[in-house]
Amino acid sequence: MYEIRTDKVCVGMPNNEEEIRAKKRENQRDRYAALRSDEKDEVRSKKREYQRSHRACLKAEADASKLIAPCEITAQKEEARAKIREYQRERYAAFPNHKKEKFQENNREYQQSHRARLKAETDASKLIASSEITDTRMDDKGNSCKRKPDLASQVDNIGVGKGVYQRDYGAQKKVDKGAFNSGIWEPEDTLHGIEDFKYEYSIESTTRTNGHDPYNFVYVGLPQTYHVLTKVQNYFYCRAKRFEGEGPAFCCRNGRVNIFIPEVPDELRRLFTSQINKDAKYFRRNIR
Ligand SMILES: [Zn+2]
């Protein structure tokens, strides 16, 4: 018989690391237990303060990411970032010296890589700008694009402001830089860059009450499924185009109904179609 043990299943973490952590926790517990009651109080108050500041950070972030007017968003984001920076500064100050050194090293590494990336980007854009411009070339997504001789700039007139759809020009600017800089550039693919546009939507503060959108009711009771008509073959007898569910009585009753189309006399055909004869023109002008 095999004994299946489920109490020591360890996923993704080496056993000894887990053990070390457990030991640390235990040590902390012991140290805390050995403290005098006034010291205990101090530890608790410190912990509370930390948790409060942490929650404040989280809340500020959440508030900033909610859909509010763009200017408010940036202001709130800035505030939240300032709070986070302050919090990080405090935490850094509380680090022991060896940790501080390691932190600084990490920071230096990040800044180096960041600078390298920025430099590579500017180099790449310079390269594009200096390359030869032809009438048809590929853009950065591999679509071929034509440049038109000269037309007024095709800048969109979409309204910008509160409660209006806003268009993100970032993508357009990226394309316009360099190769497509002079003259008007028009994509052959009419959907070019559509996916790059970001629509920002905000609710006027007057219509918003406690974060509740009073116009949400328009989404209530929408059907979950939809019906698509299946394609039906043309009818066997008369070749009529039909919709799904149309019976034989709809057109010719299984070929029993035939419409007699008489042969048009030549004289009448001439009157209806002639572009030269005066009498035909007169006829067409005056028939009722
Ligand atoms: Zn028919």
Side-chain angles (χ1 to χ4, degrees):
M1 276 302 211
Y2 295 101
E3 192 192 354
I4 300 166
R5 297 192 58 178
T6 53
D7 56 340
K8 266 210 167 176
V9 176
C10 207
V11 182
M13 191 179 285
N15 213 15
N16 56 344
E17 206 173 318
E18 179 63 30
E19 270 171 23
I20 287 167
R21 274 192 203 174
K23 203 155 197 181
K24 243 185 196 170
R25 273 199 298 272
E26 209 174 285
N27 281 346
Q28 280 175 343
R29 248 197 305 273
D30 288 346
R31 238 179 307 159
Y32 180 74
L35 289 174
R36 290 196 312 273
S37 64
D38 54 335
E39 283 172 323
K40 274 183 188 173
D41 284 343
E42 202 182 317
V43 169
R44 272 207 295 273
S45 78
K46 263 186 187 169
K47 195 169 181 184
R48 267 200 298 276
E49 204 177 308
Y50 165 75
Q51 285 177 340
R52 208 175 298 139
S53 73
H54 187 60
R55 268 201 301 275
C57 273
L58 287 179
K59 192 169 179 298
E61 253 183 300
D63 285 348
S65 66
K66 271 181 199 161
L67 288 174
I68 317 166
C71 57
E72 278 178 46
I73 286 176
T74 48
Q76 287 199 4
K77 266 190 182 164
E78 197 46 57
E79 205 179 305
R81 267 193 221 123
K83 264 185 188 166
I84 290 167
R85 270 200 298 274
E86 202 181 323
Y87 166 68
Q88 283 175 339
R89 246 197 303 277
E90 275 171 24
R91 238 177 49 149
Y92 176 74
F95 276 168
N97 270 341
H98 67 278
K99 255 195 169 177
K100 271 185 190 173
E101 275 165 23
K102 196 166 178 227
F103 189 82
Q104 279 171 357
E105 199 182 311
N106 283 345
N107 208 355
R108 264 198 301 277
E109 256 174 46
Y110 168 73
Q111 283 178 345
Q112 263 171 13
S113 72
H114 187 64
R115 268 201 299 274
R117 207 172 61 230
L118 283 179
K119 192 166 179 297
E121 269 173 30
T122 48
D123 283 356
S125 68
K126 267 184 210 158
L127 204 70
I128 291 169
S130 63
S131 66
E132 202 187 344
I133 295 166
T134 52
D135 274 337
T136 304
R137 57 182 301 123
M138 307 293 269
D139 68 359
D140 54 359
K141 282 203 186 109
N143 301 318
S144 69
C145 329
K146 255 193 235 152
R147 281 194 305 119
K148 274 197 166 178
D150 205 6
L151 285 170
S153 177
Q154 297 173 333
V155 175
D156 304 74
N157 298 318
I158 292 174
V160 175
K162 254 192 183 179
V164 186
Y165 283 122
Q166 252 177 317
R167 195 158 188 174
D168 181 17
Y169 290 103
Q172 192 72 32
K173 273 178 199 154
K174 232 184 280 160
V175 174
D176 285 344
K177 233 192 274 170
F180 310 112
N181 209 351
S182 55
I184 293 303
W185 170 84
E186 191 186 63
E188 279 174 1
D189 172 16
T190 51
L191 287 174
H192 174 90
I194 288 293
E195 73 275 16
D196 290 331
F197 294 127
K198 184 176 71 190
Y199 293 100
E200 263 182 37
Y201 167 68
S202 65
I203 300 162
E204 294 279 347
S205 52
T206 49
T207 61
R208 206 155 47 91
T209 49
N210 301 330
H212 170 73
D213 180 5
Y215 298 114
N216 259 340
F217 68 86
V218 298
Y219 303 111
V220 175
L222 290 180
Q224 295 292 310
T225 57
Y226 52 88
H227 181 69
V228 179
L229 290 173
T230 52
K231 214 171 180 186
V232 180
Q233 284 201 328
N234 291 349
Y235 198 44
F236 172 75
Y237 290 103
C238 63
R239 315 301 302 157
K241 280 189 186 297
R242 287 141 59 94
F243 283 120
E244 184 187 3
E246 283 174 347
F250 176 72
C251 52
C252 60
R253 286 197 170 257
N254 292 333
R256 271 182 279 165
V257 176
N258 283 298
I259 296 169
F260 176 69
I261 303 171
E263 195 65 34
V264 179
D266 284 345
E267 178 62 12
L268 206 54
R269 184 183 291 278
R270 185 187 66 79
L271 288 174
F272 269 108
T273 59
S274 173
Q275 301 296 315
I276 311 157
N277 300 343
K278 271 187 183 173
D279 63 334
K281 287 179 182 174
Y282 178 82
F283 170 76
R284 287 202 296 274
R285 212 169 30 246
N286 291 287
I287 49 172
R288 296 276 140 89

